[in-house]
Amino acid sequence: MKKYLFALLTFTALFSGCIKDDIIEDFVEPTIRITAVPDTIELNTTYQFEFAYFNNVGVEENVDAQWLSSDPSIIEINSSGLATALSIGSAEISITYSGGDQEVTELVNVYVGGSTVVQEIGKSGTIQTTSSYLLEGNFTISEEGENIIIDIADDYRASTALPGLYV
């Protein structure tokens, strides 16, 4: 009987330690995203770019990042993300955040033309684990009227031992 109780206590201690270890080792690659990307900016107008930065545990943080245009003669962009469309053509707009020993960048190609066109296609991303449990796949979030639709892609995989998974 004592041997059985010892094994049960050991199992309980190991299970509790697993949850604690998951929290201690919680990590995802930091990322930065340009939000509401225009396909086209109307010539001789401005467009305010915005971004979101997500830290190593996936929490959005306010950070100072740097905007850059690959061709300032077509699209000029200032330090706050205000772009000015100067001539017909295309340029790559980038946002970069450097903090500590990490650097994250996102690039988008934008055209200058006859009108400003922003296509709202929703947000997409990758589901990933912050622990040793299997959890991966892609998703898209979109709006349909007053409803929010979360579409989990066919590549979704998760461990059946994953505790507390909520979508």
Side-chain angles (χ1 to χ4, degrees):
M1 184 73 165
K2 288 182 183 180
K3 206 173 202 182
Y4 175 75
L5 286 174
F6 175 75
L8 181 61
L9 290 172
T10 302
F11 175 76
T12 303
L14 287 174
F15 184 73
S16 297
C18 173
I19 300 300
K20 184 176 179 184
D21 290 344
D22 287 349
I23 293 169
I24 291 171
E25 296 173 9
D26 211 6
F27 180 83
V28 293
E29 289 297 324
T31 186
I32 196 165
R33 295 186 185 130
I34 299 173
T35 57
V37 178
D39 288 331
T40 307
I41 301 174
E42 183 178 349
L43 181 63
N44 297 319
T45 65
T46 61
Y47 181 83
Q48 180 63 57
F49 280 90
E50 296 178 0
F51 74 96
Y53 169 77
F54 300 91
N55 66 17
N56 67 321
V57 290
V59 175
E60 187 172 355
E61 283 184 15
N62 290 325
V63 296
D64 290 325
Q66 294 182 333
W67 291 99
L68 184 67
S69 171
S70 65
D71 192 341
S73 68
I74 295 174
I75 301 174
E76 188 176 78
I77 191 160
N78 70 16
S79 61
S80 66
L82 183 64
T84 304
L86 300 173
S87 62
I88 300 292
S90 69
E92 200 169 65
I93 301 297
S94 66
I95 181 76
T96 301
Y97 170 68
S98 298
D101 60 349
Q102 65 157 344
E103 181 174 288
V104 289
T105 300
E106 182 171 50
L107 309 166
V108 294
N109 196 41
V110 180
Y111 296 93
V112 173
S115 64
T116 298
V117 178
V118 180
Q119 292 187 356
E120 297 293 333
I121 57 171
K123 307 265 186 221
S124 62
T126 302
I127 300 167
Q128 59 188 23
T129 187
T130 59
S131 69
S132 60
Y133 294 102
L134 172 66
L135 177 64
E136 62 188 16
N138 294 304
F139 67 92
T140 303
I141 300 174
S142 59
E143 250 182 275
E144 232 177 67
E146 293 185 14
N147 298 318
I148 294 176
I149 308 298
I150 301 174
D151 184 27
I152 309 276
D154 291 337
D155 64 351
Y156 174 78
R157 296 184 325 145
S159 168
T160 57
L162 188 64
L165 177 61
Y166 296 94
V167 176

